[in-house]
């Protein structure tokens, strides 16, 4: 059985549709009643974008039989005549078979399957396929005249039953046992029988009718036997698994808080009425996408025939994940397959066994996943987690950081006595990021330190704190390492995006004006694309207020790597980013902040980022650009009456100018007078007068008397 051979048939005369199966490149087997009264037909292959092509009835050529009297004659062969027809490549020849009650008497049941287009399966105006899986009872399933009665089992029941027939439109579906074609589905017995059964015309009955074999070619049906099954290579249809089979990793943390709303949204999306559903969850690295997917998969494992977890960082890992499924299903019989062959076999199994759930974890590019999900469009459920948020076939669910209450709840479960202001302060400092909170909580619990002590370590040793993996945990699952992977991808796509992120790390975490970064791009379009790239990978947020960066991302981005193993945090790069942030800020600050009233709105918008830049930098490393920023910011703050902060900035400017230019430089001579005026404005004459006197003496000494 190969679903690539399944086709939909349209009879324009009878205004009816049905199902067919390609038994040769241009030859379709179907039910006769699908094509009665019509010489010209149309067919199309499985797939939403496939085109209809012309076809004609090739057999029977004589007057049609009376199907009421001869139901075993309900079979037809169609020849595809349309010039645009392209048969599927790489399919195995059809294997014809028959069921002999005497041969299979030791088996009470034979599993059977067909794939059809019942009218109940309509999605967005297009009929979808439905797997018809069931069994044939060997003692009662073989009827006189070459008819077969097949019981339909659980998973294949149509989701939207019709008024007359649950399986209308599935007529003509080829019926298979152990990968061999044994008959053609013609009708169902739902109308006059309590059970849900389908009737099929056997291959043997069709082969006995005049002209059938002549059209098909050589046809020698083989017996279906248990010995034959054991001695042959397993086809995808032969392999069954009990419900609940999975390869799910253990949960990285049993503590799961603050995700009830998004879990409900995910459950609603994945339980919708459809053959196949693909849902993506995106968010910043460390926000908990994998944890969410794992909890969902563990909670719902029993609801699916199979749950399979696939690492999706690269195309090679995805292929390996499918190949591993083949190894699980086929065991030793998969040893002679290459990875590619094993992956293809797994796809074939999934196509023929609906009711599964696949998780593509940490997918890097939509195209990498779509190459596989496109082949599995009509079979099951896909959940994709990714740091990238665009290009998916569905509307992705955005996973945000935890709210304050949930973040404190998480800390309290990891650390004793975690309630209170210290826990609240640490959660805020870690930006409510689940991975950072878990990492911090585990470290605190393991080392026996207090929350306050960890907070101090984070501020003093941010590189080591964000890189530290507590004993027993995955050393690769730390904040710094996870983000490094994203930065690697971004740098490969456009290094300027990473440069912008490094510079943004020196500003306030929200409301960074886009105009600051205009000198880094060729034009506004180029800048929009660079910012869009960062936003697509959830490294920044974009809104009308400006750019936002998670505060922990900022901490990591501006902290040098002590080990030297992270090129993104090379000390030279970080210093260049700090200097770049200062230059860009200085270029944007309005001049003459005391008298240029028109520039005050810009000052108010930029001041939080000026303060963040100055707070994050070491005063001992202040540059000439920083010195100018200190002077201008001090002047603006003094004019606005914020005298305490103004005096701090002027005092820092004095130290910077003295270190940079020497005591006798004009810039150094001006700085103390600015500080003196600020003290005077604050009413601190005791500090102001000595500074004025010092400034006068130094000016006379260097410049001479006027």
């Amino acid at each position: 059985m190969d679903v690539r051979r399944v086709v939909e048939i349209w009879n324009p005369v009878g205004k009816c549709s049905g199902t067919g199966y390609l038994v040769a490149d241009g030859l379709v087997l179907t039910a006769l009643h699908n094509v009665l009264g019509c010489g010209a037909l149309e067919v199309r292959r499985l797939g939403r974008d496939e085109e209809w092509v012309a076809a004609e009835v090739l057999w029977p050529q004589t007057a049609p039989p009376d199907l009421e009297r001869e139901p075993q004659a309900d079979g037809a062969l169609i020849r595809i005549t349309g010039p645009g027809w392209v048969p599927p490549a790489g399919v195995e020849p059809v294997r014809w078979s028959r069921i002999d009650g005497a041969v299979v008497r030791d088996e009470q049941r034979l599993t059977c399957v067909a794939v059809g287009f019942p009218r109940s399966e309509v999605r967005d105006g297009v009929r979808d396929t439905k797997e018809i899986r069931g069994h044939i009872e060997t003692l009662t399933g073989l009827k006189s005249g070459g008819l077969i009665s097949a019981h339909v089992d659980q998973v294949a029941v149509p989701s939207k039953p019709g008024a007359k027939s649950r399986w209308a439109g599935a007529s003509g579906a080829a019926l298979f046992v152990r990968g061999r074609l044994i008959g053609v589905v013609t009708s169902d017995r739902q109308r006059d029988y309590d059970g849900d059964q389908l009737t099929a015309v056997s291959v043997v009955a069709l082969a006995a009718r005049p002209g059938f074999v002549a059209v098909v070619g050589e046809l020698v049906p083989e017996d279906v036997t248990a010995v034959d099954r054991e001695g042959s290579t397993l086809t995808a249809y032969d392999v069954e698994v009990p419900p609940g089979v999975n390869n799910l990793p253990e949960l990285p943390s049993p503590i799961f808080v603050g995700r009830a709303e998004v879990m409900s949204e995910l459950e609603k999306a994945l339980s919708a009425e459809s053959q196949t559903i693909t849902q993506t969850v995106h968010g910043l690295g460390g926000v908990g996408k994998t944890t969410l997917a794992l909890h969902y998969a563990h909670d719902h494992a029993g609801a699916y025939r199979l749950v399979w977890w696939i690492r999706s960082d690269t195309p090679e890992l995805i292929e390996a994940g499918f190949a591993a499924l083949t190894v699980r299903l086929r065991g030793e019989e998969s040893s002679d397959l290459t990875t590619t062959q094993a992956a293809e076999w797994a796809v074939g199994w999934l196509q023929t066994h609906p009711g599964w759930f696949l998780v593509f974890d940490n997918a890097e590019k939509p195209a990498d996943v779509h190459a596989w999900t496109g082949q599995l469009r009509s079979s099951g459920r896909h959940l994709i987690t990714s740091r990238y948020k665009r290009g998916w076939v569905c509307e992705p669910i955005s996973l945000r950081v935890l709210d304050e209450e949930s973040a404190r709840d998480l800390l309290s479960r990891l650390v004793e006595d975690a309630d209170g202001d210290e826990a609240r302060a640490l959660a805020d400092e870690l930006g409510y990021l689940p991975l950072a909170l878990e990492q911090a909580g585990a470290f605190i619990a393991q080392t026996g330190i207090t929350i306050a002590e960890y907070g101090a370590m984070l501020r003093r040793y941010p590189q080591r704190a964000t890189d530290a993996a507590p004993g027993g945990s995955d050393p690769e699952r730390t904040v710094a390492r996870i983000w490094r992977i994203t930065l690697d991808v971004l740098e490969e796509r456009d290094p300027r995006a990473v440069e912008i992120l490094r510079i943004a790390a020196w500003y306030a975490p929200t409301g960074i004006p886009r105009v600051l970064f205009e000198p880094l791009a060729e034009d506004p379009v180029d800048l929009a694309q660079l910012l869009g790239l960062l936003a697509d990978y959830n490294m920044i947020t974009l809104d009308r207020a400006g750019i936002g960066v998670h505060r922990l991302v900022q901490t990591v981005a501006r902290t040098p790597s002590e080990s030297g193993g992270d090129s993104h945090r090379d000390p030279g790069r970080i210093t260049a980013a700090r200097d770049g942030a200062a230059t860009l800020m200085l270029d944007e600050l309005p001049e003459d902040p005391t008298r240029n009233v028109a520039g005050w709105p810009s000052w108010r918008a930029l001041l939080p980022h000026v303060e963040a830049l100055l707070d994050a930098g070491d005063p001992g490393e202040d540059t000439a650009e920083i010195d100018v920023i200190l002077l201008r910011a001090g002047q603006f703050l003094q004019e606005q009456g914020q005298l305490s902060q103004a005096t701090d900035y002027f005092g820092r400017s004095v130290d910077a100018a003295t270190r940079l230019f020497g005591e006798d430089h004009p810039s150094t001579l001006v700085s103390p007078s600015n500080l003196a005026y600020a003290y005077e404005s604050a009413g601190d004459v005791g500090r102001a007068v000595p500074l004025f006197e010092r400034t006068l003496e130094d000016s006379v000494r260097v410049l001479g008397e006027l």
Side-chain angles (χ1 to χ4, degrees):
M1 175 67 181
D2 192 324
V3 291
R4 291 175 295 175
R5 290 182 177 272
V6 177
V7 298
E8 185 178 3
I9 298 171
W10 172 248
N11 180 338
V13 174
K15 302 296 182 183
C16 63
S17 56
T19 304
Y21 191 81
L22 282 163
V23 293
D25 281 352
L27 191 64
V28 177
L29 176 65
T30 187
L32 177 59
H33 71 263
N34 285 339
V35 299
L36 283 175
C38 186
L41 304 161
E42 291 181 313
V43 303
R44 66 176 175 184
R45 286 171 51 184
L46 177 63
R48 207 169 275 268
D49 298 325
E50 291 292 331
E51 298 291 334
W52 290 98
V53 295
E56 63 183 8
V57 177
L58 188 61
W59 180 88
Q61 291 286 2
T62 58
D66 183 351
L67 296 181
E68 290 291 331
R69 299 179 57 188
E70 294 185 273
Q72 68 272 23
D74 197 357
L77 293 168
I78 298 171
R79 178 169 59 194
I80 299 174
T81 58
W85 169 252
V86 179
V91 294
E92 296 291 329
V94 172
R95 300 169 67 188
W96 306 86
S97 190
R98 66 182 179 182
I99 300 176
D100 188 324
V103 175
V104 297
R105 62 182 180 274
D106 294 334
E107 294 185 77
Q108 296 181 0
R109 291 185 172 189
L110 293 172
T111 299
C112 62
V113 67
V115 175
F117 282 93
R119 295 192 191 104
S120 59
E121 292 298 304
V122 177
R123 306 291 179 230
D124 300 326
V126 178
R127 283 202 308 154
D128 209 345
T129 53
K130 193 77 172 182
E131 182 188 67
I132 311 168
R133 181 170 289 274
H135 69 274
I136 299 168
E137 296 181 353
T138 57
L139 293 178
T140 60
L142 306 180
K143 307 298 184 181
S144 60
L147 298 179
I148 301 171
S149 182
H151 292 264
V152 178
D153 295 331
Q154 300 171 1
V155 298
V157 175
S159 54
K160 296 181 179 179
K164 295 182 179 179
S165 169
R166 302 177 68 128
W167 295 104
S171 298
L175 186 66
F176 283 79
V177 170
R178 294 173 182 168
R180 297 185 177 185
L181 178 56
I182 65 165
V184 180
V185 174
T186 57
S187 61
D188 70 87
R189 299 183 62 193
Q190 181 69 23
R191 290 163 292 180
D192 56 8
Y193 185 71
D194 234 3
D196 196 359
Q197 292 187 17
L198 299 178
T199 297
V201 175
S202 70
V203 166
V204 175
L206 293 175
R209 300 193 69 80
F212 184 85
V213 174
V215 174
V216 172
E218 185 177 357
L219 192 159
V220 181
E222 304 169 348
D223 289 331
V224 173
T225 67
V227 175
D228 174 70
R229 181 183 183 187
E230 293 171 1
S232 64
T233 301
L234 295 178
T235 68
Y237 271 105
D238 295 327
V239 179
E240 290 293 339
V241 297
V245 171
N246 70 82
N247 70 331
L248 292 176
E250 191 54 79
L251 294 169
S253 172
I255 302 172
F256 190 58
V257 299
R259 297 306 192 194
E261 185 176 341
V262 72
M263 182 66 85
S264 176
E265 184 179 357
L266 185 59
E267 289 177 341
K268 181 179 179 181
L270 290 173
S271 62
E273 279 287 331
S274 181
Q275 280 281 85
T276 301
I277 295 173
T278 299
Q279 184 59 58
T280 302
V281 176
H282 76 89
L284 176 67
V287 80
K289 302 180 296 296
T290 295
T291 300
L292 178 76
L294 268 176
H295 275 275
Y296 181 89
H298 277 285
D299 291 347
H300 296 81
Y304 296 98
R305 168 181 275 156
L306 170 92
V307 177
W308 203 250
W309 189 272
I310 300 173
R311 284 190 57 192
S312 306
D313 309 60
T314 65
E316 292 76 18
L317 281 174
I318 298 176
E319 185 177 61
F322 280 100
L325 174 58
T326 296
V327 173
R328 173 71 66 87
L329 296 178
R330 293 186 53 169
E332 294 182 359
E333 286 208 14
S334 61
S335 60
D336 59 342
L337 299 177
T338 65
T339 300
T340 299
Q341 290 172 332
E344 290 175 350
W345 192 95
V347 170
W349 188 90
L350 293 165
Q351 288 174 334
T352 57
H353 294 76
W356 42 255
F357 177 49
L358 299 183
V359 182
F360 294 87
D361 184 46
N362 200 31
E364 188 56 58
K365 300 176 182 176
D368 294 343
V369 177
H370 294 165
W372 299 90
T373 57
Q375 301 177 67
L376 301 170
R377 188 186 60 81
S378 304
S379 309
R381 302 288 190 263
H382 313 115
L383 175 60
I384 304 164
T385 72
S386 179
R387 292 182 295 270
Y388 195 71
K389 70 178 181 182
R390 301 203 184 277
W392 304 106
V393 297
C394 62
E395 182 64 32
I397 296 173
S398 177
L399 192 62
R400 308 293 185 184
V401 296
L402 296 173
D403 57 48
E404 181 179 338
E405 182 179 351
S406 298
R408 289 180 58 198
D409 185 17
L410 177 56
L411 273 179
S412 68
R413 298 192 188 196
L414 293 167
V415 182
E416 293 183 7
D417 304 322
D419 295 330
D421 294 339
E422 291 179 351
R424 189 165 30 249
L426 180 59
D428 183 67
E429 193 162 1
L430 294 174
Y432 310 106
L433 188 73
L435 177 58
L437 292 164
E438 291 172 13
Q439 188 176 323
F443 189 88
I444 293 167
Q446 183 186 58
T447 57
I449 63 176
T450 66
I451 290 178
E453 287 172 331
Y454 182 86
M457 294 168 79
L458 179 64
R459 290 185 290 275
R460 186 173 181 183
Y461 309 105
Q463 190 270 334
R464 295 178 64 185
T466 53
D467 263 344
S473 63
D474 183 357
E476 292 301 314
R477 194 171 175 268
T478 64
V479 170
R481 285 176 172 83
I482 284 176
W483 289 340
R484 187 170 64 202
I485 295 170
T486 305
L487 293 177
D488 285 342
V489 175
L490 285 168
E491 187 153 61
E492 183 179 343
R493 294 192 62 174
D494 197 322
R496 296 176 302 163
V498 182
E499 182 185 0
I500 288 175
L501 185 66
R502 280 197 207 96
I503 290 173
W506 294 90
Y507 299 142
T510 58
I512 307 172
R514 300 184 186 210
V515 67
L516 284 170
F517 303 104
E518 287 182 355
L520 302 179
E522 297 175 2
D523 51 46
V525 175
D526 186 38
L527 177 61
Q529 291 175 330
L530 289 170
L531 296 178
L533 179 60
L534 285 167
D536 283 346
Y537 279 94
N538 288 282
M539 296 305 284
I540 67 171
T541 58
L542 292 174
D543 55 36
R544 293 182 179 179
I547 299 165
V549 187
H550 191 281
R551 65 186 63 199
L552 201 56
V553 172
Q554 292 183 308
T555 299
V556 173
R558 63 174 182 254
T559 304
S561 173
E562 294 179 5
S563 64
D566 187 348
S567 63
H568 301 294
R569 293 190 290 161
D570 175 77
R573 282 184 159 185
I574 289 177
T575 298
R578 181 202 63 194
D579 293 345
T583 300
L584 293 172
M585 179 60 69
L586 187 57
D587 290 344
E588 196 60 30
L589 288 176
E591 295 186 2
D592 194 2
T594 58
R595 289 179 292 182
N596 181 13
V597 178
W600 286 0
S602 295
W603 266 106
R604 294 190 181 97
L606 293 170
L607 189 60
H609 308 290
V610 169
E611 294 170 346
L613 173 63
L614 297 175
D615 289 346
D618 181 354
E621 297 178 355
D622 284 344
T623 62
E625 288 78 12
I626 291 290
D627 181 42
V628 177
I629 292 174
L630 286 166
L631 284 172
R632 291 190 187 176
Q635 291 168 350
F636 176 75
L637 291 167
Q638 182 179 351
E639 184 67 25
Q640 302 300 311
Q642 297 173 256
L643 300 175
S644 176
Q645 192 172 1
T647 55
D648 288 344
Y649 284 175
F650 285 138
R652 181 169 166 179
S653 173
V654 170
D655 295 338
T658 302
R659 177 177 54 80
L660 291 167
F661 311 118
E663 293 184 355
D664 296 340
H665 192 278
S667 297
T668 308
L669 297 177
V670 171
S671 295
S673 65
N674 289 322
L675 181 57
Y677 279 117
Y679 282 139
E680 182 184 26
S681 298
D684 192 347
V685 179
R687 290 188 180 184
V689 170
L691 279 173
F692 280 129
E693 291 174 346
R694 171 188 160 187
T695 302
L696 179 59
E697 290 173 1
D698 289 342
S699 298
V700 170
R701 177 176 53 81
V702 174
L703 303 174
E705 296 283 353
L706 294 178

